[in-house]
Amino acid sequence: MSRMCEGRVVVVTGGGRGLGRAHALAFAAEGARVVVNDLGVGLNGTPAADSPARHVVDEIRAAGGEAVAHGGDVATGAGAASLVATALETYGRLDTLVNNAGFLRDRMLVNLDEDDWDAVVRVHLKGHFLPLKHVAAHWRAEAKAGRAPVARVVNTSSGAGLLGSLGQGNYSAAKAGIVGLTLVAAAEFARYGVQVNAIAPAARTRMTERAFAETMTAPEDGFDAMAPENVSPLAGWLGSAARDGVTGRVFEVEGGRITVMEGWRAGPTADKGARWTPQEAGEAAVKLLGEAGVPGAVYGA
C-alpha cells in the first residue's frame, strides 16, 4: 500500500527536538525524504553543544528512510535560502514546508526586555516568513514553467496566539502574527498550487514541560495525551497531496482532539448611519457586548 507522502520532499524547521522531531519522523515513515533543519540552540535561543538535526537524520536512516540535516538560521535570508537549496540540491525537488522552529523567553510585560521581545518575534514570526518566501519563489517559478506544484505549507501557531497567555506577550504576539501570515499566504499562493495551513498544537516539549509538569508520568491507559507524536498525523496529512482545497485554515491539536479554529469574524453590529456621540457610541457598544459571545480566557488568567 502506498504511503501518504511517498516521493515527496519535506522540510521541517526546528526538526531536531520535540514537535519538529516527531514531524520529521512521521513524514519519513509515510515515505517522504526529509530535510531536518535545526540550529541546535537551547530553550532560550542560545547556542547548544550538540547537533539534534543530525541525531534525527540518523534515526530516519536507521529506519530505512532518507534524510539530510541543515543547521542554518532560518530567521535570516541566507539561512532560509540555503534551506531551500539543500532540498533542491539533495533531492531535486521540494514539496512541503513545515515551519516549526521556535524558543521562549517568558516574562510579564512589565519585566519583558526589548531584546527578549525581538528575539522571540524574530525566530517565530520572521523564521516563518523567510522560509515561506524562499520556497514560494521556487514554487512560483515552477508554476510559470508549466510544472504546477502540489505544494503544501504547515505553519505552527499556538493557543497562546489565539487566546493570549500570561507571561508570554512576545510569544503570543508572534504566534498570532503567524495566523495572519498563514491567511495572507494561502490567498496569495493559491494560484501556484500552494496550500497553506496552520496548526496550534498542545504537547509536552522543552518549551512546555513546566506547564505540563503534572502530566509527565505515564498514563494508566497507555495513551499519553501530551506526547508530541499526537500532533504529527494531522501535520502529515496537511503536508501531503491527499486532499485539495484545504487552505487558509487553523487547526488546534491536542492528544486525540482536532478542532477547526474559527477566527475573527463580524459579530453583532449597530449602524446609526451617521456619526455617533461618545455617549451614544458607549451605549451602543454595551448593547452589542450583551449580544456577543464571551471570549475564551487568556491562558494562565
Side-chain angles (χ1 to χ4, degrees):
M1 184 173 66
S2 177
R3 295 175 291 180
M4 183 173 288
C5 293
E6 199 76 58
R8 292 181 73 79
V9 174
V10 177
V11 166
V12 181
T13 72
R17 300 184 179 94
L19 283 166
R21 172 182 174 273
H23 295 340
L25 294 173
F27 273 105
E30 289 296 331
R33 293 166 287 176
V34 186
V35 179
V36 182
N37 161 266
D38 203 289
L39 193 54
V41 298
L43 180 59
N44 66 350
T46 57
D50 61 350
S51 174
R54 172 55 60 188
H55 296 323
V56 176
V57 167
D58 290 343
E59 286 187 76
I60 291 173
R61 290 177 177 174
E66 295 184 57
V68 64
H70 177 269
D73 182 355
V74 296
T76 67
S82 72
L83 177 65
V84 174
T86 296
L88 298 178
E89 291 167 6
T90 306
Y91 300 119
R93 60 184 296 154
L94 177 50
D95 303 287
T96 298
L97 167 65
V98 181
N99 276 319
N100 172 76
F103 61 76
L104 296 176
R105 291 187 184 176
D106 293 350
R107 298 284 190 281
M108 291 295 188
L109 288 173
V110 70
N111 296 320
L112 185 62
D113 292 337
E114 185 177 351
D115 288 347
D116 292 334
W117 173 275
D118 290 344
V120 169
V121 171
R122 174 187 178 275
V123 72
H124 285 278
L125 189 51
K126 192 176 180 183
H128 269 61
F129 158 63
L130 286 173
L132 176 61
K133 170 185 171 67
H134 284 277
V135 77
H138 165 68
W139 287 329
R140 180 180 63 178
E142 288 291 286
K144 288 183 175 180
R147 299 183 294 270
V150 182
R152 306 288 185 259
V153 176
V154 182
N155 289 331
T156 306
S157 184
S158 168
L162 303 174
L163 296 173
S165 179
L166 289 184
Q168 293 190 308
N170 48 3
Y171 178 74
S172 296
K175 289 303 191 184
I178 287 168
V179 172
L181 178 64
T182 298
L183 301 180
V184 172
E188 289 186 357
F189 300 153
R191 73 190 71 176
Y192 310 130
V194 183
Q195 295 182 183
V196 186
N197 294 284
I199 55 174
R204 186 180 54 254
T205 67
R206 290 193 307 164
M207 288 173 52
T208 61
E209 60 185 0
R210 284 181 296 177
F212 297 135
E214 69 277 7
T215 66
M216 291 294 283
T217 57
E220 293 182 2
D221 64 2
F223 176 58
D224 183 356
M226 289 293 102
E229 289 78 10
N230 299 329
V231 178
S232 298
L234 180 61
W237 182 78
L238 290 171
S240 75
R243 176 65 187 269
D244 192 33
V246 179
T247 193
R249 294 301 199 124
V250 179
F251 298 84
E252 191 172 59
V253 193
E254 178 180 351
R257 177 174 58 86
I258 297 172
T259 304
V260 177
M261 303 303 289
E262 297 181 337
W264 294 105
R265 61 184 64 202
T269 304
D271 185 355
K272 180 183 176 181
R275 183 179 301 155
W276 303 88
T277 68
Q279 181 67 28
E280 290 173 335
E283 291 171 354
V286 169
K287 181 176 184 297
L288 294 174
L289 288 171
E291 301 170 1
V294 178
V298 172
Y299 289 161

